[in-house]
């Protein structure tokens, strides 16, 4: 594991374009299994999970052409070859769960280890997906390892899950697009990356109603065609770079077409004193007052809440916390998605920040801190590494973030982009 060395106090400024959305490209790439035509994806980020998926497809006989410089990837699957091989899933990557539906559709049978160490296929993650597959007619033959088989024809299903899971919603979308009849999902996730998958499948011939809402109605079609689709820019990366620029006193213009997804996100960062200039296809940082916006109800503590879309994304809550340690007022952060996801906040104490973890979901950051450089330990959580960098980069002097490698899984060329904009950051 590599360390990230950050020399704070230097403005991050200029103009940049963000990478493609990791959480969009992975389901889009998995969904290419639903057609025997060629599919071309544009604005493809250079991340390791894509390399693993491509290697998996190539092992099944798929033909892949990838131009990293042009950020394009074209793929055509050999269904005869795919069906003839055992559809073992590529363990050790979170996106493996997104292969459940298309692999079942193509092979009719799956066997995988639900207790694999270091894999996304754990009990908490796999149950909603198995329930969806069962609703469409798949049968579970054994549990550990999980062995499933499919009928000759999938039937439409009406499903109302316990909660709005992004990846389970994507599993539903892929199954319903080719199942016979009409399927309905209440309590569907509606994140921008879910919308991107829907829009790609519609371009392939799928009939999907309710895109961007909590209710999806999908009428299955006999065949999906190939298409050319663009991966949307990563709204997480847009917000992250704007926050970094603001806390360093820089003026950064981020050019992107995802501004229509940014209104609530910018408003939450605005509560921390960051000002923005918004154009149709660009957002620019315009200063940081460090003042926390006080609520009209004076008895309440200012707060930023993270919950499933269209709430403020949980993946941006750590970055907002990184900003807050430099603010003058107190603010509470409330993660309504993940329990225990704020335990890393003790590392902020090393910077001189005063924080209080109220419970597994709520953290209070006290304002008016005198910050200092620090050596901190990053957990294996992508966004937390970024949060620690947001804290470090606003403090003059040299800080070190140990075990910072996870950042490479979602932010292509992150250090290179920062240094090109004036930051002093490097790997060791």
């Amino acid at each position: 594991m590599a360390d990230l060395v950050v020399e704070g106090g230097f403005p991050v400024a200029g103009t940049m374009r963000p990478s493609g959305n990791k959480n969009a490209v992975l389901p889009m790439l998995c969904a290419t299994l639903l057609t025997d035509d060629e599919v071309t994806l544009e604005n493809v980020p250079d991340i390791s999970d894509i390399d693993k998926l491509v290697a998996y497809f190539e092992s099944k006989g798929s033909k892949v052409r990838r131009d990293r410089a042009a950020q394009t990837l074209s793929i055509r699957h050999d269904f005869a070859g795919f069906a003839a091989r055992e559809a073992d899933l590529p363990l050790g990557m979170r996106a493996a769960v997104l292969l459940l539906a298309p692999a079942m559709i193509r092979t009719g049978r799956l066997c995988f280890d639900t207790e694999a160490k270091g894999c996304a296929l754990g009990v908490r993650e796999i149950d909603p997906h198995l329930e969806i597959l069962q609703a469409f007619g798949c049968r579970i033959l054994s549990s550990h390892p999980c062995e499933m088989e499919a009928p000759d024809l999938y039937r439409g299903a009406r499903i109302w899950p316990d909660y709005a899971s992004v990846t389970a919603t994507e599993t539903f979308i892929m199954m319903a697009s080719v199942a016979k009849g009409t399927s309905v999902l209440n309590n569907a996730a509606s994140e921008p990356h879910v919308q991107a998958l829907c829009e790609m499948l519609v371009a392939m011939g799928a009939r999907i109603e309710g895109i961007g809402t909590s209710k999806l109605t999908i009428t299955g079609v006999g065949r999906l065609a190939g298409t050319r689709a663009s991966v949307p820019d990563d709204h997480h990366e847009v917000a992250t770079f704007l926050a970094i620029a603001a806390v360093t006193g820089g003026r950064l213009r981020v050019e992107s077409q995802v501004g229509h997804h940014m209104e609530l996100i910018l408003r939450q960062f605005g509560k921390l004193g960051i000002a923005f200039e918004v154009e149709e296809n660009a957002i620019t940082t315009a200063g940081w007052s460090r003042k926390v916006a006080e609520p009209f109800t004076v008895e309440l503590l200012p707060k930023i809440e993270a919950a499933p879309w269209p709430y403020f994304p949980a993946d941006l809550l750590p970055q907002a916390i990184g900003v807050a340690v430099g603010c003058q007022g107190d603010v509470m952060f409330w993660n309504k998605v993940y329990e225990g996801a704020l335990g890393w906040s003790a590392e902020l104490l090393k910077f001189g920040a005063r924080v209080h973890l109220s419970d597994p979901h709520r953290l209070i950051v006290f304002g008016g801190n005198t910050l200092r450089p620090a050596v901190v330990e990053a957990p294996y959580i992508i966004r937390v590494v970024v949060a620690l960098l947001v804290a470090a980069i606003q403090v003059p002097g040299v800080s070190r973030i140990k075990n910072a490698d996870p950042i490479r899984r979602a932010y292509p060329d992150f250090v290179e982009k920062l240094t090109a904009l004036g930051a002093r950051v490097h790997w060791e």
Side-chain angles (χ1 to χ4, degrees), residues 155-349:
R155 62 178 183 271
R158 298 183 68 90
I159 304 172
W160 194 327
D162 295 345
Y163 61 94
S165 163
V166 168
T167 50
T169 296
E170 291 163 343
T171 292
F172 168 85
I173 292 166
M174 288 187 273
M175 291 295 299
S177 293
V178 297
K180 181 178 177 58
T182 298
S183 300
V184 178
L185 179 66
N186 280 304
N187 205 12
S190 60
E191 276 76 358
H193 25 289
V194 177
Q195 297 177 42
L197 173 64
C198 289
E199 290 161 1
M200 170 185 160
L201 288 171
V202 167
M204 295 168 66
R207 296 169 60 187
I208 305 176
E209 300 176 15
I211 297 174
T213 75
S214 61
K215 181 179 180 179
L216 291 173
T217 302
I218 303 178
T219 302
V221 297
R223 182 183 184 278
L224 293 175
T227 191
R228 191 177 189 95
S230 181
V231 178
D233 290 341
D234 187 354
H235 54 289
H236 300 113
E237 184 174 332
V238 172
T240 296
F241 273 83
L242 290 171
I244 290 172
V247 300
T248 60
R251 182 177 175 85
L252 178 67
R253 175 185 169 89
V254 180
E255 298 177 341
S256 175
Q257 282 73 49
V258 296
H260 58 292
H261 289 310
M262 298 294 297
E263 182 179 348
L264 177 63
I265 292 171
L266 298 182
R267 190 160 72 247
Q268 302 313 298
F269 280 99
K271 291 180 180 179
L272 302 175
I274 300 178
F276 302 97
E277 296 174 359
V278 181
E279 305 169 58
E280 183 177 357
N281 293 315
I283 303 170
T284 304
T285 53
W288 183 34
S289 70
R290 297 179 181 263
K291 296 179 180 178
V292 175
E294 294 291 337
F296 287 107
T297 307
V298 295
E299 294 84 4
L300 296 180
L301 192 65
K303 64 181 176 180
I304 294 178
E305 304 177 19
W309 192 270
Y311 271 77
F312 185 70
D315 278 353
L316 285 175
L317 200 68
Q319 292 90 312
I321 293 170
V323 173
V325 299
C327 290
Q328 296 302 318
D330 307 335
V331 59
M332 180 177 72
F333 295 91
W334 193 346
N335 189 329
K336 296 183 174 181
V337 180
Y338 303 114
E339 183 171 308
L342 298 170
W344 62 273
S345 57
E347 294 299 305
L348 295 171
L349 300 174

